[in-house]
Every structure is written in C-alpha cells, then in structure tokens.
Amino acid sequence: MTTEKTPILINPVGAGAPETAAVVTDEPSGRTARGGDRTFWSQLRASMAMFSNPKSATGLVILGVFAIVAVSAPLIAPDDPNAQNLDATLQPPSFQHLLGTTHIGQDVFSQLVYGTRGVLVVGFLATIMATVVAIAVGVTAGYLRGWKSESLSALSNVFLVIPGLPLMIIVASQFQDPPLWVVAAVLGFTGWAWGARVLRAQTMSLRNRDFIQAARANGEPLHRIILVEMLPNLMAIIASSFVGTMTAAVLGLTTLAFIGVIPVSNLNWGTILFWAQQNNAFPDYWWWYVPAGLCIALLGVALSLINFGIDEYVNPRLRSAGERARAMKKKGMNPTAAVTQVRTGSGAPDGAGGS
C-alpha cells in the first residue's frame, strides 16, 4: 500500500515569482533521489566500477593467475624446488624439466612456481601495511586543521626521504634468517608516505564539499563521515596508491634478493636471478634467468594495466577518450588515424584526406 503524497504550495518569494510545489513524503532523509540508501556498501559497489575497464580487467586476470599459481604451488610444481640431481645439471628445457635445471640439478620451473608465493606474500603484506598507514595518516591529516594536520604532513615528508634499501640492509644484518614478514614490514614502513600525501590533498578538497558539510550539520559522528561519506569517494585514489605501492614492494624485494641482502633460503624470483648471476649463467644458460625476468616484467605489466585503468576511470578526459576510441573500433574505424574517417553507405570507413 502506497502513501499518497500531498503537494504543498510555497508562497512566492517576490512579485511575479511563480509558485513552487514541494512534495511531502514519508521516506527517511537518508535516501538518495534514486530511492537507494546512501550507505558505505552502496557507494563502495559504485566505486568498484573502476575495475570494469578493459585495462584493469586484463591486469586483474594476470594478477589472479599469479595468485592461483602461488596458492597451488605444491600441486603445480613437479619437483621439490630445493631437490638436487647432480646427474642432470644445466639441462635445457625438456619434457622432464620444463624450464631446464640449475648447476646442481634443481628444477627451474619448480623454483619459479614456489618463488611466486614469496613475491606475492611480501608484496601484499607490505602493500596492506603501507596502505593502512597511508589511509590513517592521510585522511586524518586532510580532515583535521591547524597544527595537527601540519604535524602529520611533516611526518609524511620525513618518511618520503627515508631510503628503503639501506634500512633493509641494516635490518637484515640483525637477523641470521629474516622471515618474510620482517622484509614486508620494512618495505611497508618506508612505502606509505607517498600515498598519505595524495590522500591528504584529496581529503582537504572533500572536506569542504556540500555533502560533507551537510553531514556535519546533521550531527553525523566523525567516524561515519569518514567511513560513509569520504572513503568511498577516495577509493580510486586508494586503489591507485595500493597498486603503485605493490609495484615498488615487488621491485624492492627482487632487488634485495638479487644483491644478496635477503638470505637465499627465502625463495623468490630475485634469488633465482641471484644464483644465476653467481654461477655465470649469463648468457649461455638462458632458461635459468629469462623466465624469472619475464615473470617480474609480466607482474609489472599487470599492475601497470590496473593503474592505467584506474587513472582512466578517475580522469574524465581519459575516460571519455577511451570510450570514444572503443566506440570507433566497434564501428570499424581506426582511432589513431591521422585523418578523420567517414563511414560510407556500404559501411566501410573511408579516409577523408587529400593533398
């Protein structure tokens, strides 16, 4: 049963001004004009539309494949990555060893599969730590005013200039065999400042918007303003910061492993390259170092595609340009053509250029 809505005429403001009608409803004021509740989850679902971009979707698929490989490493790897077979040393790829063997007969494919687990574990742990700190510091610094905001901003500036590599070397020297979470903690500890700076600037822009002021005037508590009103509008920035931090964490881990800072017992793609370099695998034994290098490059491409998709979603100019290019491709036109293409009656695009 629906409730009838009675229009109420409002007196005109001035001479000659038309009368306006306001409709009185029994709906709560928290509902939007479209009839849906303005909740954290509804806004979160709307903000997740950034991943519907073809670039982001492709990057997520590649990242998902790596995640499946990491989780299913015992099922995918044919051999123990540390098992030695001195009768099959430096063997090229074959049906028995898909990516060949090392100088002591270890299966390179098994090492690559198990190394994926180490890379993703450290990458995700470091990125989650850095993102949580960046959100806490950045949003708080952007919402507050005065000396509190300036103090948190100064703290971010200090961490921006802390070098991660020397700090990791110092920390690793204190452990005989530093666990992965220690490596991830150091990478996350030195990787949150950039995201905090970006979130602070965006939060300072949001805090003066009308819907934030309205929520504050309605007496909404601070935690609800931040969680329900602000964070969904910051999801694109947070996602972009997450991707960028993970890229830096993966590259930092593989670099530290390649130069021998991380013990070789922590198997990852960087340790594979370390042993290949130590045993003069370059350039003759390509199957030892090329697959690990390609995996690092492919993971970087996946994260870059996700970042490009998020950037296209956030930037209206990039989003409209991408939609226009995809529409032209569907019509058989070349969006990168130097001349304007005109569709003829037969449906084939013709170039409209001349000398």
Side-chain angles (χ1 to χ4, degrees):
M1 179 177 180
T2 59
T3 304
E4 184 178 356
K5 306 173 183 61
T6 305
I8 302 176
L9 293 178
I10 300 176
N11 292 330
V13 178
E19 292 182 336
T20 58
V23 178
V24 179
T25 66
D26 56 354
E27 295 182 355
S29 58
R31 292 185 176 271
T32 62
R34 293 179 296 178
D37 290 325
R38 185 182 177 84
T39 63
F40 172 77
W41 298 110
S42 63
Q43 295 186 70
L44 182 62
R45 285 193 297 269
S47 62
M48 287 297 103
M50 71 183 81
F51 297 117
S52 61
N53 184 285
K55 296 177 183 177
S56 296
T58 303
L60 287 174
V61 168
I62 299 174
L63 185 61
V65 171
F66 279 118
I68 293 174
V69 170
V71 173
S72 308
L75 302 177
I76 298 175
D79 300 308
D80 184 345
N82 296 317
Q84 302 179 12
N85 183 6
L86 298 180
D87 295 329
T89 59
L90 296 176
Q91 296 294 314
S94 62
F95 288 106
Q96 186 176 3
H97 301 285
L98 296 179
L99 293 177
T101 59
T102 67
H103 66 299
I104 54 177
Q106 295 171 324
D107 186 70
V108 176
F109 179 73
S110 299
Q111 290 188 339
L112 196 69
V113 171
Y114 276 92
T116 304
R117 176 180 295 181
V119 170
L120 292 187
V121 167
V122 173
F124 275 109
L125 281 178
T127 304
I128 291 172
M129 294 178 188
T131 303
V132 170
V133 176
I135 293 174
V137 175
V139 175
T140 303
Y143 190 81
L144 298 178
R145 301 173 187 270
W147 67 269
K148 297 179 181 179
S149 176
E150 296 300 327
S151 299
L152 292 175
S153 177
L155 180 65
S156 301
N157 292 336
V158 170
F159 274 86
L160 276 175
V161 298
I162 292 180
L165 184 59
L167 181 62
M168 185 67 246
I169 295 175
I170 295 173
V171 173
S173 65
Q174 306 302 316
F175 294 86
Q176 184 176 2
D177 187 7
L180 291 179
W181 69 266
V182 173
V183 179
V186 175
L187 292 174
F189 181 74
T190 58
W192 61 268
W194 177 83
R197 292 282 298 174
V198 176
L199 286 173
R200 177 179 180 268
Q202 190 65 19
T203 304
M204 291 178 66
S205 174
L206 285 176
R207 73 185 181 188
N208 296 321
R209 301 286 179 87
D210 292 340
F211 65 95
I212 298 295
Q213 298 294 335
R216 189 181 303 165
N218 288 336
E220 297 287 351
L222 178 60
H223 71 274
R224 189 182 187 281
I225 293 177
I226 293 178
L227 293 177
V228 178
E229 303 293 345
M230 281 192 169
L231 278 186
N233 291 282
L234 296 172
M235 284 304 299
I237 303 296
I238 294 173
S240 179
S241 176
F242 187 94
V243 172
T245 304
M246 185 171 181
T247 304
V250 170
L251 293 178
L253 171 67
T254 53
T255 301
L256 292 171
F258 180 71
I259 64 178
V261 174
I262 298 177
V264 294
S265 58
N266 293 334
L267 186 62
N268 59 71
W269 298 336
T271 56
I272 296 175
L273 296 176
F274 169 79
W275 283 116
Q277 188 268 340
Q278 288 292 314
N279 292 276
N280 300 318
F282 304 94
D284 297 331
Y285 308 113
W286 59 267
W287 59 84
W288 196 348
Y289 58 86
V290 168
L294 288 179
C295 285
I296 296 173
L298 187 59
L299 182 58
V301 168
L303 296 174
S304 298
L305 286 175
I306 297 174
N307 206 3
F308 292 156
I310 295 173
D311 191 23
E312 184 174 318
Y313 174 83
V314 174
N315 192 327
R317 291 184 178 180
L318 293 178
R319 183 168 65 248
S320 60
E323 292 174 353
R324 184 163 56 250
R326 286 190 288 271
M328 292 179 65
K329 289 181 180 179
K330 289 181 180 179
K331 295 179 180 180
M333 298 181 178
N334 183 10
T336 61
V339 295
T340 304
Q341 293 180 316
V342 180
R343 294 184 62 86
T344 61
S346 60
D350 295 326
S355 58

